[in-house]
């Protein structure tokens, strides 16, 4: 299954230790999504639609009510990239 370039970047960021945090409203529905790098910086490329795409592809999951992290399936989808450090 091919994934888009934006999805690829987000999965690569998650594979390096990043996370996706969600905020819910009073009705327990997702109100906002933000992606944080492993250093705690906000990554602006993630919105609610992108989060739903990644979740639908089972590339991210949450454990015990914590932030969403990459799954084994997500690691299979992401192609290796050189770290630009």
């Amino acid at each position: 299954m091919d994934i888009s370039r934006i999805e690829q970047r987000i999965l690569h960021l998650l594979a390096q230790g990043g996370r996706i945090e969600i905020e819910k409203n009073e009705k327990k529905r997702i109100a906002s999504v933000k992606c944080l790098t492993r250093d705690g910086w906000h990554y602006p490329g993630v919105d609610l639609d992108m989060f739903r795409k990644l979740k639908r592809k089972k590339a991210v999951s949450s454990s015990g009510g914590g932030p969403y992290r990459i799954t084994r399936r997500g690691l299979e989808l992401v192609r290796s990239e050189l770290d630009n450090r």
Side-chain angles (χ1 to χ4, degrees):
M1 171 187 304
D2 284 335
I3 58 175
S4 70
R5 183 177 295 164
I6 298 169
E7 292 170 352
Q8 182 76 29
R9 286 183 182 145
I10 294 167
L11 287 177
H12 184 69
L13 185 135
L14 294 175
Q16 288 182 331
R19 63 188 183 275
I20 296 176
E21 295 183 355
I22 60 169
E23 294 180 15
K24 295 187 176 184
N25 59 13
E26 304 84 36
K27 296 179 183 179
K28 303 294 182 193
R29 296 186 56 95
I30 298 174
S32 66
V33 178
K34 66 179 178 178
C35 182
L36 300 172
T37 65
R38 64 179 170 190
D39 299 327
W41 291 91
H42 178 269
Y43 184 77
V46 181
D47 58 356
L48 193 54
D49 291 333
M50 182 60 62
F51 171 72
R52 287 187 177 143
K53 280 184 187 178
L54 293 173
K55 195 171 173 188
R56 191 177 319 121
K57 292 179 182 181
K58 299 186 189 296
V60 294
S61 70
S62 175
S63 176
Y68 282 78
R69 301 207 180 256
I70 193 165
T71 61
R72 293 216 182 263
R73 174 71 179 138
L75 288 173
E76 291 172 4
L77 288 173
V78 71
R79 293 180 294 268
S80 63
E81 292 181 16
L82 294 175
D83 193 6
N84 292 330
R85 289 180 180 240

Short mmCIF file of all heavy atoms in Angstrom, two decimals, residues 8-67:
data_model
loop_
_atom_site.label_atom_id
_atom_site.label_comp_id
_atom_site.label_asym_id
_atom_site.label_seq_id
_atom_site.Cartn_x
_atom_site.Cartn_y
_atom_site.Cartn_z
N GLN A 8 4.32 9.86 4.86
CA GLN A 8 5.67 9.32 5.00
C GLN A 8 6.48 10.15 6.00
O GLN A 8 7.16 9.61 6.87
CB GLN A 8 6.35 9.32 3.62
CG GLN A 8 7.72 8.75 3.61
CD GLN A 8 7.71 7.25 3.67
OE1 GLN A 8 6.77 6.61 3.22
NE2 GLN A 8 8.73 6.68 4.25
N ARG A 9 6.41 11.48 5.88
CA ARG A 9 7.15 12.35 6.79
C ARG A 9 6.67 12.20 8.22
O ARG A 9 7.47 12.17 9.16
CB ARG A 9 7.00 13.80 6.36
CG ARG A 9 7.80 14.13 5.14
CD ARG A 9 7.69 15.58 4.78
NE ARG A 9 8.42 15.85 3.56
CZ ARG A 9 8.06 16.72 2.66
NH1 ARG A 9 6.97 17.43 2.83
NH2 ARG A 9 8.78 16.90 1.57
N ILE A 10 5.36 12.12 8.40
CA ILE A 10 4.81 12.00 9.75
C ILE A 10 5.21 10.66 10.36
O ILE A 10 5.62 10.59 11.53
CB ILE A 10 3.29 12.17 9.72
CG1 ILE A 10 2.96 13.60 9.31
CG2 ILE A 10 2.68 11.85 11.07
CD1 ILE A 10 1.52 13.81 8.94
N LEU A 11 5.11 9.58 9.60
CA LEU A 11 5.48 8.27 10.12
C LEU A 11 6.98 8.21 10.45
O LEU A 11 7.38 7.60 11.44
CB LEU A 11 5.12 7.17 9.13
CG LEU A 11 3.63 6.86 9.02
CD1 LEU A 11 3.40 5.81 7.94
CD2 LEU A 11 3.07 6.39 10.34
N HIS A 12 7.79 8.87 9.65
CA HIS A 12 9.22 8.91 9.93
C HIS A 12 9.48 9.65 11.23
O HIS A 12 10.29 9.23 12.05
CB HIS A 12 9.97 9.57 8.77
CG HIS A 12 11.45 9.57 8.94
ND1 HIS A 12 12.20 8.43 8.88
CD2 HIS A 12 12.32 10.57 9.18
CE1 HIS A 12 13.46 8.73 9.08
NE2 HIS A 12 13.56 10.03 9.27
N LEU A 13 8.78 10.74 11.43
CA LEU A 13 8.91 11.51 12.66
C LEU A 13 8.48 10.67 13.87
O LEU A 13 9.14 10.67 14.91
CB LEU A 13 8.04 12.77 12.56
CG LEU A 13 8.13 13.75 13.69
CD1 LEU A 13 8.23 15.15 13.10
CD2 LEU A 13 6.92 13.64 14.56
N LEU A 14 7.38 9.91 13.71
CA LEU A 14 6.92 9.05 14.80
C LEU A 14 7.89 7.90 15.06
O LEU A 14 8.08 7.49 16.20
CB LEU A 14 5.53 8.50 14.48
CG LEU A 14 4.40 9.52 14.42
CD1 LEU A 14 3.11 8.85 13.97
CD2 LEU A 14 4.21 10.20 15.75
N ALA A 15 8.50 7.38 14.01
CA ALA A 15 9.46 6.28 14.16
C ALA A 15 10.69 6.73 14.93
O ALA A 15 11.35 5.91 15.58
CB ALA A 15 9.86 5.74 12.79
N GLN A 16 10.99 8.02 14.88
CA GLN A 16 12.15 8.53 15.62
C GLN A 16 11.81 8.86 17.07
O GLN A 16 12.64 9.38 17.78
CB GLN A 16 12.69 9.78 14.94
CG GLN A 16 13.38 9.50 13.65
CD GLN A 16 13.95 10.76 13.04
OE1 GLN A 16 13.43 11.85 13.24
NE2 GLN A 16 15.02 10.61 12.29
N GLY A 17 10.58 8.58 17.50
CA GLY A 17 10.22 8.81 18.89
C GLY A 17 9.18 9.88 19.11
O GLY A 17 8.89 10.25 20.25
N GLY A 18 8.57 10.38 18.05
CA GLY A 18 7.53 11.40 18.19
C GLY A 18 6.22 10.79 18.63
O GLY A 18 6.08 9.58 18.79
N ARG A 19 5.22 11.65 18.85
CA ARG A 19 3.91 11.18 19.29
C ARG A 19 2.83 12.13 18.78
O ARG A 19 3.09 13.28 18.45
CB ARG A 19 3.86 11.08 20.80
CG ARG A 19 4.03 12.39 21.51
CD ARG A 19 4.17 12.21 23.02
NE ARG A 19 4.27 13.48 23.69
CZ ARG A 19 5.37 14.18 23.86
NH1 ARG A 19 6.51 13.73 23.38
NH2 ARG A 19 5.37 15.32 24.50
N ILE A 20 1.61 11.61 18.72
CA ILE A 20 0.45 12.41 18.34
C ILE A 20 -0.46 12.50 19.56
O ILE A 20 -0.87 11.48 20.10
CB ILE A 20 -0.31 11.80 17.16
CG1 ILE A 20 0.57 11.78 15.91
CG2 ILE A 20 -1.59 12.57 16.89
CD1 ILE A 20 -0.06 11.11 14.71
N GLU A 21 -0.75 13.72 19.98
CA GLU A 21 -1.63 13.94 21.12
C GLU A 21 -2.95 14.50 20.63
O GLU A 21 -2.98 15.33 19.73
CB GLU A 21 -0.98 14.90 22.12
CG GLU A 21 0.27 14.31 22.75
CD GLU A 21 0.88 15.21 23.79
OE1 GLU A 21 0.39 16.35 23.98
OE2 GLU A 21 1.85 14.78 24.43
N ILE A 22 -4.04 14.02 21.24
CA ILE A 22 -5.37 14.49 20.85
C ILE A 22 -6.03 15.17 22.04
O ILE A 22 -5.70 14.90 23.19
CB ILE A 22 -6.25 13.33 20.33
CG1 ILE A 22 -6.43 12.27 21.41
CG2 ILE A 22 -5.67 12.72 19.09
CD1 ILE A 22 -7.47 11.25 21.08
N GLU A 23 -6.93 16.08 21.73
CA GLU A 23 -7.76 16.72 22.75
C GLU A 23 -9.20 16.43 22.39
O GLU A 23 -9.60 16.54 21.23
CB GLU A 23 -7.50 18.22 22.79
CG GLU A 23 -6.12 18.58 23.26
CD GLU A 23 -5.90 20.08 23.30
OE1 GLU A 23 -6.90 20.84 23.24
OE2 GLU A 23 -4.74 20.48 23.38
N LYS A 24 -10.00 16.06 23.41
CA LYS A 24 -11.40 15.74 23.18
C LYS A 24 -12.29 16.84 23.75
O LYS A 24 -11.92 17.52 24.69
CB LYS A 24 -11.75 14.40 23.82
CG LYS A 24 -11.01 13.24 23.18
CD LYS A 24 -11.48 11.92 23.69
CE LYS A 24 -10.78 10.79 22.96
NZ LYS A 24 -11.28 9.50 23.37
N ASN A 25 -13.48 16.97 23.14
CA ASN A 25 -14.44 17.96 23.62
C ASN A 25 -15.36 17.34 24.66
O ASN A 25 -15.14 16.22 25.12
CB ASN A 25 -15.22 18.56 22.45
CG ASN A 25 -15.98 17.52 21.66
OD1 ASN A 25 -16.16 16.40 22.09
ND2 ASN A 25 -16.45 17.91 20.48
N GLU A 26 -16.42 18.06 25.04
CA GLU A 26 -17.34 17.59 26.07
C GLU A 26 -18.07 16.31 25.66
O GLU A 26 -18.47 15.52 26.51
CB GLU A 26 -18.38 18.67 26.39
CG GLU A 26 -17.83 20.01 26.81
CD GLU A 26 -17.46 20.88 25.62
OE1 GLU A 26 -18.15 20.84 24.58
OE2 GLU A 26 -16.44 21.58 25.72
N LYS A 27 -18.26 16.13 24.37
CA LYS A 27 -18.97 14.95 23.86
C LYS A 27 -18.04 13.77 23.63
O LYS A 27 -18.43 12.79 23.00
CB LYS A 27 -19.69 15.29 22.56
CG LYS A 27 -20.76 16.34 22.74
CD LYS A 27 -21.43 16.65 21.42
CE LYS A 27 -22.46 17.74 21.58
NZ LYS A 27 -23.11 18.07 20.31
N LYS A 28 -16.81 13.86 24.12
CA LYS A 28 -15.81 12.80 23.99
C LYS A 28 -15.41 12.53 22.55
O LYS A 28 -14.99 11.44 22.19
CB LYS A 28 -16.29 11.49 24.64
CG LYS A 28 -16.66 11.61 26.09
CD LYS A 28 -15.47 11.94 26.91
CE LYS A 28 -15.86 12.00 28.38
NZ LYS A 28 -14.83 12.58 29.19
N ARG A 29 -15.55 13.53 21.68
CA ARG A 29 -15.10 13.41 20.30
C ARG A 29 -13.81 14.19 20.14
O ARG A 29 -13.55 15.14 20.87
CB ARG A 29 -16.17 13.95 19.35
CG ARG A 29 -17.46 13.12 19.42
CD ARG A 29 -18.48 13.53 18.40
NE ARG A 29 -17.99 13.50 17.05
CZ ARG A 29 -18.14 12.48 16.20
NH1 ARG A 29 -18.76 11.40 16.60
NH2 ARG A 29 -17.68 12.56 14.97
N ILE A 30 -13.00 13.80 19.18
CA ILE A 30 -11.70 14.44 18.99
C ILE A 30 -11.90 15.87 18.50
O ILE A 30 -12.53 16.10 17.48
CB ILE A 30 -10.84 13.64 18.00
CG1 ILE A 30 -10.57 12.25 18.55
CG2 ILE A 30 -9.54 14.37 17.73
CD1 ILE A 30 -9.86 11.33 17.58
N ALA A 31 -11.36 16.82 19.26
CA ALA A 31 -11.50 18.23 18.90
C ALA A 31 -10.27 18.73 18.16
O ALA A 31 -10.39 19.48 17.19
CB ALA A 31 -11.72 19.06 20.17
N SER A 32 -9.08 18.34 18.60
CA SER A 32 -7.87 18.79 17.92
C SER A 32 -6.78 17.73 18.04
O SER A 32 -6.79 16.90 18.93
CB SER A 32 -7.38 20.11 18.52
OG SER A 32 -6.96 19.92 19.85
N VAL A 33 -5.85 17.81 17.10
CA VAL A 33 -4.74 16.86 17.03
C VAL A 33 -3.46 17.65 16.90
O VAL A 33 -3.40 18.63 16.15
CB VAL A 33 -4.90 15.94 15.79
CG1 VAL A 33 -3.73 15.00 15.67
CG2 VAL A 33 -6.20 15.18 15.85
N LYS A 34 -2.42 17.26 17.62
CA LYS A 34 -1.12 17.89 17.42
C LYS A 34 -0.03 16.82 17.48
O LYS A 34 -0.12 15.87 18.25
CB LYS A 34 -0.86 19.01 18.42
CG LYS A 34 -0.73 18.61 19.84
CD LYS A 34 -0.45 19.84 20.69
CE LYS A 34 -0.36 19.47 22.15
NZ LYS A 34 -0.05 20.62 22.98
N CYS A 35 0.95 17.00 16.63
CA CYS A 35 2.05 16.06 16.53
C CYS A 35 3.28 16.70 17.16
O CYS A 35 3.61 17.84 16.86
CB CYS A 35 2.31 15.73 15.06
SG CYS A 35 3.63 14.54 14.81
N LEU A 36 3.94 15.95 18.04
CA LEU A 36 5.13 16.45 18.72
C LEU A 36 6.32 15.57 18.37
O LEU A 36 6.21 14.34 18.31
CB LEU A 36 4.92 16.45 20.23
CG LEU A 36 3.77 17.31 20.74
CD1 LEU A 36 3.55 17.07 22.22
CD2 LEU A 36 4.04 18.76 20.47
N THR A 37 7.46 16.19 18.13
CA THR A 37 8.68 15.45 17.86
C THR A 37 9.21 14.88 19.17
O THR A 37 8.70 15.19 20.25
CB THR A 37 9.75 16.34 17.24
OG1 THR A 37 10.13 17.33 18.19
CG2 THR A 37 9.25 17.00 15.97
N ARG A 38 10.25 14.08 19.10
CA ARG A 38 10.82 13.52 20.32
C ARG A 38 11.45 14.59 21.21
O ARG A 38 11.60 14.39 22.41
CB ARG A 38 11.86 12.46 19.98
CG ARG A 38 13.06 12.99 19.24
CD ARG A 38 14.05 11.91 18.96
NE ARG A 38 15.07 12.40 18.04
CZ ARG A 38 15.95 11.63 17.48
NH1 ARG A 38 15.95 10.34 17.72
NH2 ARG A 38 16.83 12.15 16.65
N ASP A 39 11.76 15.75 20.63
CA ASP A 39 12.32 16.86 21.40
C ASP A 39 11.25 17.76 21.98
O ASP A 39 11.56 18.71 22.69
CB ASP A 39 13.24 17.70 20.51
CG ASP A 39 14.41 16.89 19.98
OD1 ASP A 39 14.87 15.98 20.69
OD2 ASP A 39 14.84 17.17 18.85
N GLY A 40 9.98 17.51 21.65
CA GLY A 40 8.88 18.30 22.17
C GLY A 40 8.42 19.43 21.27
O GLY A 40 7.56 20.21 21.66
N TRP A 41 8.97 19.53 20.07
CA TRP A 41 8.57 20.57 19.13
C TRP A 41 7.28 20.18 18.43
O TRP A 41 7.05 19.01 18.11
CB TRP A 41 9.67 20.80 18.09
CG TRP A 41 10.89 21.41 18.68
CD1 TRP A 41 11.97 20.75 19.18
CD2 TRP A 41 11.15 22.79 18.84
NE1 TRP A 41 12.90 21.64 19.65
CE2 TRP A 41 12.42 22.91 19.45
CE3 TRP A 41 10.45 23.94 18.54
CZ2 TRP A 41 12.99 24.13 19.76
CZ3 TRP A 41 11.02 25.16 18.84
CH2 TRP A 41 12.27 25.25 19.44
N HIS A 42 6.46 21.15 18.13
CA HIS A 42 5.20 20.93 17.43
C HIS A 42 5.46 20.81 15.93
O HIS A 42 6.13 21.65 15.34
CB HIS A 42 4.25 22.10 17.71
CG HIS A 42 2.94 21.99 17.01
ND1 HIS A 42 2.74 22.54 15.78
CD2 HIS A 42 1.79 21.40 17.36
CE1 HIS A 42 1.49 22.29 15.40
NE2 HIS A 42 0.90 21.60 16.35
N TYR A 43 4.91 19.76 15.30
CA TYR A 43 5.03 19.58 13.86
C TYR A 43 3.69 19.98 13.23
O TYR A 43 2.65 19.39 13.55
CB TYR A 43 5.38 18.14 13.51
CG TYR A 43 5.61 17.92 12.04
CD1 TYR A 43 6.79 18.32 11.44
CD2 TYR A 43 4.64 17.32 11.25
CE1 TYR A 43 7.01 18.14 10.09
CE2 TYR A 43 4.85 17.13 9.89
CZ TYR A 43 6.04 17.54 9.33
OH TYR A 43 6.24 17.36 7.99
N PRO A 44 3.68 20.98 12.34
CA PRO A 44 2.41 21.53 11.85
C PRO A 44 1.71 20.71 10.76
O PRO A 44 0.62 21.06 10.35
CB PRO A 44 2.82 22.89 11.29
CG PRO A 44 4.23 22.69 10.86
CD PRO A 44 4.83 21.73 11.84
N GLY A 45 2.26 19.62 10.29
CA GLY A 45 1.70 18.91 9.15
C GLY A 45 0.56 17.95 9.46
O GLY A 45 0.06 17.29 8.57
N VAL A 46 0.12 17.86 10.72
CA VAL A 46 -0.90 16.88 11.08
C VAL A 46 -2.20 17.59 11.42
O VAL A 46 -2.23 18.47 12.27
CB VAL A 46 -0.44 16.04 12.29
CG1 VAL A 46 -1.50 15.01 12.65
CG2 VAL A 46 0.87 15.35 12.00
N ASP A 47 -3.27 17.20 10.74
CA ASP A 47 -4.60 17.70 11.08
C ASP A 47 -5.50 16.49 11.33
O ASP A 47 -5.05 15.34 11.32
CB ASP A 47 -5.15 18.60 9.98
CG ASP A 47 -5.21 17.92 8.63
OD1 ASP A 47 -4.77 16.76 8.52
OD2 ASP A 47 -5.71 18.54 7.68
N LEU A 48 -6.77 16.75 11.58
CA LEU A 48 -7.70 15.67 11.93
C LEU A 48 -7.86 14.66 10.80
O LEU A 48 -7.90 13.45 11.04
CB LEU A 48 -9.04 16.27 12.33
CG LEU A 48 -10.04 15.35 13.01
CD1 LEU A 48 -9.41 14.69 14.23
CD2 LEU A 48 -11.27 16.10 13.42
N ASP A 49 -7.92 15.14 9.56
CA ASP A 49 -8.06 14.22 8.42
C ASP A 49 -6.84 13.32 8.27
O ASP A 49 -6.96 12.12 8.01
CB ASP A 49 -8.29 15.01 7.13
CG ASP A 49 -9.65 15.69 7.10
OD1 ASP A 49 -10.57 15.19 7.76
OD2 ASP A 49 -9.76 16.73 6.43
N MET A 50 -5.65 13.89 8.41
CA MET A 50 -4.42 13.10 8.30
C MET A 50 -4.35 12.06 9.42
O MET A 50 -3.95 10.92 9.20
CB MET A 50 -3.20 14.03 8.36
CG MET A 50 -1.89 13.33 8.21
SD MET A 50 -1.71 12.43 6.66
CE MET A 50 -1.83 13.76 5.51
N PHE A 51 -4.74 12.46 10.62
CA PHE A 51 -4.75 11.53 11.75
C PHE A 51 -5.68 10.36 11.47
O PHE A 51 -5.34 9.21 11.72
CB PHE A 51 -5.16 12.27 13.03
CG PHE A 51 -5.41 11.36 14.19
CD1 PHE A 51 -4.36 10.71 14.82
CD2 PHE A 51 -6.69 11.14 14.64
CE1 PHE A 51 -4.60 9.87 15.89
CE2 PHE A 51 -6.94 10.30 15.71
CZ PHE A 51 -5.89 9.66 16.33
N ARG A 52 -6.86 10.66 10.93
CA ARG A 52 -7.82 9.59 10.62
C ARG A 52 -7.29 8.65 9.55
O ARG A 52 -7.51 7.44 9.60
CB ARG A 52 -9.15 10.19 10.21
CG ARG A 52 -9.89 10.77 11.39
CD ARG A 52 -11.28 11.23 11.02
NE ARG A 52 -11.97 11.70 12.21
CZ ARG A 52 -12.80 12.72 12.22
NH1 ARG A 52 -13.04 13.39 11.12
NH2 ARG A 52 -13.38 13.10 13.34
N LYS A 53 -6.57 9.20 8.55
CA LYS A 53 -5.96 8.35 7.52
C LYS A 53 -4.96 7.38 8.13
O LYS A 53 -4.95 6.19 7.81
CB LYS A 53 -5.24 9.20 6.47
CG LYS A 53 -6.12 9.81 5.44
CD LYS A 53 -5.24 10.54 4.42
CE LYS A 53 -6.03 11.32 3.43
NZ LYS A 53 -5.17 12.04 2.49
N LEU A 54 -4.09 7.90 9.00
CA LEU A 54 -3.08 7.06 9.63
C LEU A 54 -3.72 6.01 10.53
O LEU A 54 -3.27 4.86 10.58
CB LEU A 54 -2.09 7.91 10.43
CG LEU A 54 -1.20 8.84 9.60
CD1 LEU A 54 -0.40 9.75 10.52
CD2 LEU A 54 -0.28 8.04 8.71
N LYS A 55 -4.77 6.39 11.22
CA LYS A 55 -5.45 5.46 12.11
C LYS A 55 -6.17 4.37 11.31
O LYS A 55 -6.17 3.21 11.68
CB LYS A 55 -6.42 6.22 13.01
CG LYS A 55 -6.91 5.42 14.18
CD LYS A 55 -7.69 6.29 15.13
CE LYS A 55 -8.31 5.43 16.20
NZ LYS A 55 -9.22 6.17 17.04
N ARG A 56 -6.78 4.78 10.18
CA ARG A 56 -7.48 3.83 9.32
C ARG A 56 -6.52 2.79 8.75
O ARG A 56 -6.87 1.63 8.56
CB ARG A 56 -8.19 4.58 8.19
CG ARG A 56 -9.15 3.76 7.40
CD ARG A 56 -9.89 4.56 6.34
NE ARG A 56 -10.30 5.89 6.77
CZ ARG A 56 -9.92 7.02 6.18
NH1 ARG A 56 -9.13 7.00 5.13
NH2 ARG A 56 -10.34 8.19 6.62
N LYS A 57 -5.29 3.22 8.46
CA LYS A 57 -4.28 2.31 7.92
C LYS A 57 -3.57 1.51 9.01
O LYS A 57 -2.65 0.75 8.73
CB LYS A 57 -3.23 3.11 7.13
CG LYS A 57 -3.80 3.70 5.87
CD LYS A 57 -2.77 4.51 5.12
CE LYS A 57 -3.41 5.12 3.88
NZ LYS A 57 -2.47 5.91 3.10
N LYS A 58 -4.00 1.73 10.28
CA LYS A 58 -3.43 1.06 11.45
C LYS A 58 -1.94 1.34 11.59
O LYS A 58 -1.16 0.49 12.02
CB LYS A 58 -3.70 -0.44 11.41
CG LYS A 58 -5.18 -0.78 11.41
CD LYS A 58 -5.39 -2.26 11.52
CE LYS A 58 -6.83 -2.66 11.30
NZ LYS A 58 -7.78 -2.21 12.23
N ALA A 59 -1.54 2.56 11.24
CA ALA A 59 -0.15 2.96 11.35
C ALA A 59 0.15 3.56 12.72
O ALA A 59 1.31 3.60 13.13
CB ALA A 59 0.20 3.97 10.26
N VAL A 60 -0.88 4.03 13.42
CA VAL A 60 -0.71 4.58 14.76
C VAL A 60 -1.75 3.97 15.69
O VAL A 60 -2.83 3.57 15.24
CB VAL A 60 -0.83 6.12 14.79
CG1 VAL A 60 0.28 6.78 14.02
CG2 VAL A 60 -2.18 6.58 14.29
N SER A 61 -1.42 3.88 16.96
CA SER A 61 -2.38 3.42 17.95
C SER A 61 -2.01 4.00 19.31
O SER A 61 -0.88 4.43 19.54
CB SER A 61 -2.42 1.89 18.02
OG SER A 61 -1.23 1.41 18.57
N SER A 62 -3.00 3.98 20.19
CA SER A 62 -2.82 4.48 21.54
C SER A 62 -2.89 3.31 22.51
O SER A 62 -3.64 2.36 22.29
CB SER A 62 -3.90 5.51 21.87
OG SER A 62 -3.80 5.92 23.20
N SER A 63 -2.16 3.40 23.58
CA SER A 63 -2.17 2.34 24.58
C SER A 63 -2.45 2.95 25.95
O SER A 63 -1.72 3.84 26.40
CB SER A 63 -0.81 1.64 24.59
OG SER A 63 -0.76 0.68 25.60
N GLY A 64 -3.50 2.50 26.59
CA GLY A 64 -3.82 2.95 27.93
C GLY A 64 -4.18 4.42 28.03
O GLY A 64 -3.90 5.06 29.04
N GLY A 65 -4.78 4.98 27.00
CA GLY A 65 -5.18 6.39 27.02
C GLY A 65 -4.04 7.36 26.81
O GLY A 65 -4.21 8.56 26.96
N GLY A 66 -2.87 6.86 26.45
CA GLY A 66 -1.72 7.72 26.23
C GLY A 66 -1.70 8.30 24.83
O GLY A 66 -2.66 8.14 24.07
N PRO A 67 -0.63 8.96 24.47
CA PRO A 67 -0.53 9.53 23.12
C PRO A 67 -0.42 8.43 22.06
O PRO A 67 -0.04 7.30 22.36
CB PRO A 67 0.73 10.38 23.18
CG PRO A 67 1.53 9.81 24.28
CD PRO A 67 0.56 9.26 25.27
#
